[in-house]
Amino acid sequence: MNLRRLEGKVALVTGAGGGIGKGIAVRFAAEGAQVGVLDINPALCQAVVDEIQAAGGAGLALPCDISKEDQVQAAVDKLAAAFGTITVLVNNAAVMPSGRLHETSPEDFDRCVAVNLRGTYLVSRAVIPGMLQARKGSIIHMSSVTGILGLPGIAAYSMTKGGLAALARAMSTDYARLGIRVNSVSPGTIDSPMLHHFVAAQSNPELIRKAFDDMHPIGRVGTIEEVANVFVFLASDESSFVTGANYEVDGGLGVKGEQPQDAPADHAKAKESVLEI
Ligand SMILES: NC(=O)c1ccc[n+]([C@@H]2O[C@H](COP(=O)([O-])OP(=O)(O)OC[C@H]3O[C@@H](n4cnc5c(N)ncnc54)[C@H](O)[C@@H]3O)[C@@H](O)[C@H]2O)c1
């Protein structure tokens, strides 16, 4: 028998309208989960649900700003009413203002905290009572390698991402004996629309793209599928003894923690550029 790995699970994925969140939602549905596709952009939500349903899966569009308490509660209630108790939560939605700390406006700083941290808190807070009742749940916060290492030019974002890894550890201790596991995932640079837009806006896109590849010891950026693989594992019962962990899905960047020493000389300038991002 070839049982799908998330059969019988009801999963909520935030920020699932595009990029990595969409990849996770579509993959979860393919693995048999019924998936709540939550995003601030209603059209994107619906497009992802259409894609899931066209492939024979079950999805529900949940347009919602996760920084708004009433919207979050309504979305969680709607998903639970449609599919039953939510037993998997992926806190993926995030915003990334760029700039060193003194260049970050108070408005950008507050929005970054409101979405990345407060949003994760609000969605988790709304979902956890159902998980406690079922004595079953897997919560996965999307952190980032920059939350662990620190990378230049994204201070506020990095702070929130480090906070999410810490939050997963703290929450894991509160719920370990109550059936809920809480972990975080810290990707390196991923081949995503966000990366494509950033690279396309540079004066030398090819050099910058090569520098991103070189930055990772494996020699390339990661794929959305490679991140989704880890989320499937953490959402599934295969990871039943895993809680409080941070999975670095970063081609070795977190271990090495520095630029490759043997990069060809003509990439030196591009490496500097990436460090200045
Ligand atoms: N792309 C990368 O290289 C990379 C690397 C490490 C970590 N990450 C993390 O992965 C996650 C997804 O990244 P991505 O590259 O797919 O980004 P993305 O910007 O393509 O996707 C983020 C999604 O979140 C949604 N969103 C934003 N604010 C929201 C809000 N208030 N309420 C609900 N939805 C909201 C957006 O509409 C968007 O669809 C983020 O948490 C990011 O920090 C990405």
Side-chain angles (χ1 to χ4, degrees):
M1 185 171 57
N2 191 10
L3 205 64
R4 292 183 295 175
R5 294 163 74 191
L6 301 180
E7 203 79 61
K9 306 220 182 269
V10 177
L12 174 57
V13 183
T14 72
I20 301 172
K22 175 185 172 183
I24 293 168
V26 169
R27 179 70 193 285
F28 275 16
E31 293 287 353
Q34 295 172 291
V35 184
V37 177
L38 186 154
D39 203 282
I40 198 168
N41 184 321
L44 291 181
C45 280
Q46 193 52 55
V48 174
V49 168
D50 290 347
E51 189 174 325
I52 286 173
Q53 289 174 343
L60 185 70
L62 300 168
C64 168
D65 178 346
I66 59 164
S67 71
K68 303 278 192 294
E69 186 181 348
D70 52 342
Q71 291 187 28
V72 166
Q73 192 61 56
V76 166
D77 290 347
K78 189 175 170 190
L79 181 61
F83 294 147
T85 304
I86 299 164
T87 49
V88 175
L89 169 60
V90 174
N91 284 307
N92 166 79
V95 293
M96 187 179 76
S98 57
R100 293 172 289 183
L101 195 73
H102 72 284
E103 297 157 344
T104 305
S105 71
E107 293 74 24
D108 281 351
F109 184 91
D110 287 350
R111 184 69 186 153
C112 193
V113 172
V115 175
N116 302 6
L117 287 176
R118 187 168 191 272
T120 293
Y121 151 71
L122 287 175
V123 181
S124 301
R125 177 170 167 267
V127 166
I128 285 170
M131 289 183 171
L132 285 173
Q133 217 168 9
R135 290 191 75 82
K136 189 165 67 177
S138 173
I139 300 176
I140 312 157
H141 299 329
M142 181 66 92
S143 181
S144 166
V145 73
T146 190
I148 313 298
L149 294 180
L151 292 172
I154 41 175
Y157 169 81
S158 302
M159 170 194 71
T160 63
K161 291 291 159 178
L164 289 168
L167 181 64
R169 281 193 295 276
M171 287 173 68
S172 73
T173 64
D174 283 334
Y175 301 114
R177 297 204 174 218
L178 300 170
I180 305 174
R181 300 182 292 104
V182 190
N183 296 288
S184 59
V185 174
S186 296
T189 309
I190 302 304
D191 193 354
S192 58
M194 190 191 255
L195 177 67
H196 300 165
H197 294 146
F198 178 83
V199 167
Q202 306 306 307
S203 56
N204 192 338
E206 274 176 34
L207 201 63
I208 296 296
R209 175 51 208 255
K210 180 80 179 97
F212 271 115
D213 286 334
D214 284 346
M215 187 169 83
H216 298 78
I218 273 184
R220 60 172 176 83
V221 301
T223 67
I224 288 176
E225 291 72 22
E226 286 170 321
V227 178
N229 285 339
V230 177
F231 276 82
V232 170
F233 169 68
L234 290 173
S236 78
D237 297 338
E238 295 164 19
S239 57
S240 51
F241 201 52
V242 180
T243 193
N246 177 56
Y247 274 66
E248 294 178 13
V249 185
D250 64 2
L253 181 60
V255 174
K256 195 162 184 183
E258 59 184 27
Q259 299 292 291
Q261 297 303 304
D262 56 353
D266 60 340
H267 294 147
K269 182 79 194 85
K271 285 196 297 174
E272 283 167 22
S273 306
V274 167
L275 284 172
E276 283 161 10
I277 289 164

